[in-house]
Amino acid sequence: MVIAPGSASAPALEPKIEIENLRVCYGAEPPALDGITLTVPARQITVFFGPAGGGKSTLLRTINRLNDLVDGARTEGRVRLDGEDILGPEVDITRLRRRIGIVFALPVPLPMSIRRNLWYGLELAGERSRRVLDEAMEKALSAAALWDEVKDRLDEPAIALSGGQQQRLCLARVLALEPEVIMLDEPSSGLDPISTAKVEASLQELKQQYTVIIVPSSVQQASRLADWAGFFLQGELVEWASGRELFLAPKDRRTEDYLTGRFG
Amino acid sequence: MTAGERRLLIQRVAFSTLGLATALTVLPIILIVGVIAWKGMPALAPSFLFEAPRDGLRAGGIWPALVGTVYLTVGTGLIAVPVGLAAAIYLSEYARETFFTRAIRIAIINLAGIPSVVYGLFGLALFVLFLKLGTSIVAASLTLSIMTLPVIISTAEEALRAVPQSFRLVSQGMGGTKWQTIRRIVLPQALPGILTGVILGLERAAGETAPILFTGAALFLPQLPRSIFDETMALPYHLFVISTQVPGMPVKVQFGTALVLLVFVLSMNVLATFIRSYHRRRRQW
């Protein structure tokens, strides 16, 4: 299997998600994604970037099957997680979504306390022990760099947190499930630079243990974070390479034009 | 008169007209409540509330009718709330927009427009005669339920849809099933709105005469009903009877009965308003 086409120097990496010839359509519209083939390596930060309408969010929502909730969405091709097909009808979707967590662009605290937000995913999975729930909560909040800020107000409504704290809460909520893959869809689109820096710092920590996929909110963020990067343009994967190669020496003219700000 | 003065005058006239029209809508409510309270108060005594009518309904109290209306309201709630809530959850959370679901919605809206006496006749044909429930609390409650369902379904569906879609996405994105998401997030958040709709629906059921006229309301029963298959007295029908069918009826008994019915229904209304405003202040979205 090829992780980065054309990069002979790539170190041997364990593949986590293999995508082959993926095509996603919504209703009768032209495909939102077409001919996507790439392999997301384990315990690295993979970045999908490009202008709006490129299909990045669609790709994330295909990987954890949230597109199933959209009327008229059709998916063709293969997506494998640890070698197992995850697009088939017999896949246990709730288990899949626990293994591949997603954080959305706008933070959505559930209408309950901070503590309950952190418990939520585990409670859905059937966890009842208060001790287990609280331990998972503390661990997840620490990993998302939020514990020190909220440890004295865990039973306050989550909505009372600031925007940046809410986004880290959403990250923590996903981490509490101990997923294998964490996907973030423009996690800092509404955040100030300090909160963004905190989120990015926790991502660098998290990749020791988790596979991280992120749709960044800027090219600068993409280049800061990317171990691997894919450039998406109108449903097509234009270029896929290691972050260093793609941002320092893009091979495709369109990638270069986007990176240098000629369009976008 | 200058053009400026003219414009000012027109504005004054317009404002006064609008204000007057608004006052006119409030006036009847004040008058109704005022007159009924004024004329009904003298009748109110413990014996009026807790005794059965005597002397051809001219004396005594309204206890069997009051209890009967509570029974009918509770019975209607027991039937209409689960069915209406289930239908609302189905329509809002599960059904896709198809010709079929659009037809159901149109049917529900039209159901709300049917005159209540038609429900009464329908209840007589279906529940009393065809299903052989007889004129009884069950038959009357079922009839009132059908009348109440459209209100409950449409307000509950609205309340469910008002819960932000993003909550559902987050919950299902974390491995929640659709049902877990509904039970843990959507329903609790929609509950105040649902409750308001339920109370408003039941309030209408409590005050209706026509649907129970042929299906379970009795002219005079000194005893309280002993089973759900008994007939029962009910406040709105009792009021109709003592206002039109009994010669020589003391006015204070009529207005006393009206006052009790009004307080019963209005207190449900106040409860609904209270629930709504209490939860709107606490809502986290």
Side-chain angles (χ1 to χ4, degrees):
Chain A
M1 105 243 343
V2 183
I3 282 192
S7 74
S9 58
L13 290 164
E14 184 190 327
K16 187 69 187 176
I17 299 172
E18 297 157 86
I19 300 170
E20 236 174 80
N21 233 336
L22 181 73
R23 177 186 166 100
V24 181
C25 303
Y26 296 112
E29 287 170 46
L33 280 175
D34 203 1
I36 307 299
T37 298
L38 60 87
T39 299
V40 175
R43 286 177 298 282
Q44 300 269 296
I45 296 182
T46 298
V47 161
F48 297 151
F49 75 108
K56 301 157 289 176
S57 299
T58 297
L59 184 54
L60 296 192
R61 284 166 191 229
T62 304
I63 292 173
N64 79 344
R65 296 280 298 268
L66 272 178
N67 259 349
D68 288 16
L69 305 179
V70 180
D71 279 356
R74 291 193 317 283
T75 308
E76 294 160 34
R78 279 216 173 72
V79 179
R80 282 190 286 260
L81 174 65
D82 290 339
E84 276 173 68
D85 175 57
I86 56 172
L87 291 184
E90 70 293 331
V91 174
D92 178 349
I93 294 177
T94 56
R95 186 166 161 266
L96 173 73
R97 289 182 185 150
R98 281 200 277 275
R99 294 176 68 191
I100 307 180
I102 186 165
V103 178
F104 299 102
L106 289 174
V108 179
L110 292 170
M112 40 183 87
S113 66
I114 296 169
R115 186 192 303 277
R116 287 263 163 204
N117 262 278
L118 267 294
W119 287 4
Y120 188 76
L122 288 169
E123 282 185 320
L124 291 179
E127 183 56 59
R128 296 257 182 283
S129 151
R130 166 118 197 185
R131 195 180 48 80
V132 174
L133 290 169
D134 271 342
E135 275 172 15
M137 171 183 69
E138 181 171 348
K139 203 171 149 210
L141 285 171
S142 305
L146 190 57
W147 174 251
D148 290 333
E149 289 163 60
V150 301
K151 61 173 189 263
D152 300 322
R153 47 193 284 212
L154 290 166
D155 293 303
E156 285 175 30
I159 194 81
L161 296 172
S162 75
Q165 291 173 327
Q166 286 185 13
Q167 193 54 279
R168 278 175 281 148
L169 175 91
C170 294
L171 177 59
R173 201 167 54 189
V174 166
L175 292 176
L177 284 166
E178 307 218 318
E180 297 158 36
V181 181
I182 301 163
M183 305 194 294
L184 303 102
D185 191 351
E186 301 195 30
S188 45
S189 57
L191 296 194
D192 59 276
I194 293 169
S195 303
T196 303
K198 282 186 182 165
V199 171
E200 286 182 14
S202 30
L203 292 182
Q204 295 291 2
E205 284 291 311
L206 291 171
K207 79 168 190 185
Q208 312 298 326
Q209 197 186 339
Y210 304 93
T211 302
V212 177
I213 303 175
I214 172 167
V215 172
S217 33
S218 67
V219 173
Q220 290 77 3
Q221 187 179 45
S223 64
R224 279 199 299 270
L225 292 172
D227 294 317
W228 298 86
F231 176 58
F232 286 78
L233 193 59
Q234 295 181 325
E236 186 194 343
L237 176 59
V238 172
E239 193 162 353
W240 166 249
S242 74
R244 185 166 308 171
E245 277 176 83
L246 199 140
F247 289 102
L248 295 180
K251 292 203 172 57
D252 194 288
R253 184 62 196 267
R254 290 168 291 173
T255 316
E256 192 181 344
D257 284 351
Y258 183 71
L259 290 176
T260 53
R262 234 161 271 163
F263 75 97
Chain B
M1 187 188 296
T2 68
E5 284 169 342
R6 225 176 84 83
R7 276 200 296 273
L8 203 62
L9 184 70
I10 292 176
Q11 165 157 307
R12 286 221 176 104
V13 171
F15 279 179
S16 318
T17 316
L18 295 173
L20 201 67
T22 312
L24 275 178
T25 61
V26 184
L27 199 63
I29 300 170
I30 295 171
L31 280 179
I32 290 173
V33 176
V35 167
I36 289 177
W38 179 253
K39 294 200 176 182
M41 276 302 202
L44 287 197
S47 63
F48 182 71
L49 288 176
F50 298 113
E51 280 177 18
R54 279 180 281 113
D55 305 338
L57 305 180
R58 286 180 194 85
I62 54 169
W63 179 242
L66 185 57
V67 172
T69 284
V70 172
Y71 283 173
L72 288 175
T73 310
V74 170
T76 305
L78 288 178
I79 300 160
V81 172
V83 176
L85 194 53
I89 291 174
Y90 176 77
L91 284 173
S92 139
E93 308 296 320
Y94 288 97
R96 305 200 162 191
E97 279 305 313
T98 60
F99 173 77
F100 181 63
T101 52
R102 273 198 297 277
I104 290 180
R105 277 207 189 80
I106 291 170
I108 291 169
I109 291 167
N110 280 306
L111 211 55
I114 293 176
S116 54
V117 69
V118 177
Y119 281 109
L121 211 59
F122 172 77
L124 172 69
L126 179 64
F127 302 124
V128 177
L129 301 176
F130 184 74
L131 293 177
K132 300 198 168 58
L133 294 170
T135 49
S136 59
I137 294 178
V138 200
S141 298
L142 283 165
T143 310
L144 287 171
S145 298
I146 293 180
M147 191 193 74
T148 312
L149 270 177
V151 182
I152 293 181
I153 293 174
S154 39
T155 47
E157 193 190 344
E158 207 175 304
L160 291 166
R161 282 182 190 278
V163 177
Q165 201 57 36
S166 53
F167 291 169
R168 298 175 176 85
L169 200 61
V170 164
S171 174
Q172 296 191 53
M174 286 200 287
T177 62
K178 200 154 195 167
W179 177 242
Q180 282 178 317
T181 303
I182 292 170
R183 201 171 53 81
R184 288 171 173 267
I185 306 280
V186 182
L187 261 187
Q189 291 302 310
L191 200 61
I194 294 171
L195 268 179
T196 308
V198 164
I199 294 172
L200 293 178
L202 291 183
E203 172 192 314
R204 190 181 157 209
E208 278 288 349
T209 313
I212 58 174
L213 195 57
F214 324 121
T215 54
L219 189 73
F220 175 55
L221 284 174
Q223 306 293 328
L224 296 184
R226 257 172 263 135
S227 95
I228 55 171
F229 296 104
D230 286 351
E231 289 187 2
T232 180
M233 292 185 75
L235 277 178
Y237 181 56
H238 183 65
L239 182 60
F240 166 75
V241 170
I242 63 178
S243 308
T244 61
Q245 313 290 310
V246 187
M249 194 69 207
V251 170
K252 71 166 191 180
V253 175
Q254 292 170 351
F255 279 92
T257 308
L259 183 60
V260 172
L261 180 59
L262 198 67
V263 167
F264 186 86
V265 170
L266 282 186
S267 56
M268 288 172 79
N269 214 335
V270 168
L271 183 65
T273 312
F274 176 75
I275 290 174
R276 196 168 35 195
S277 63
Y278 177 74
H279 282 277
R280 190 164 289 161
R281 267 183 279 119
R282 288 172 37 111
R283 190 161 68 186
Q284 298 174 24
W285 38 276

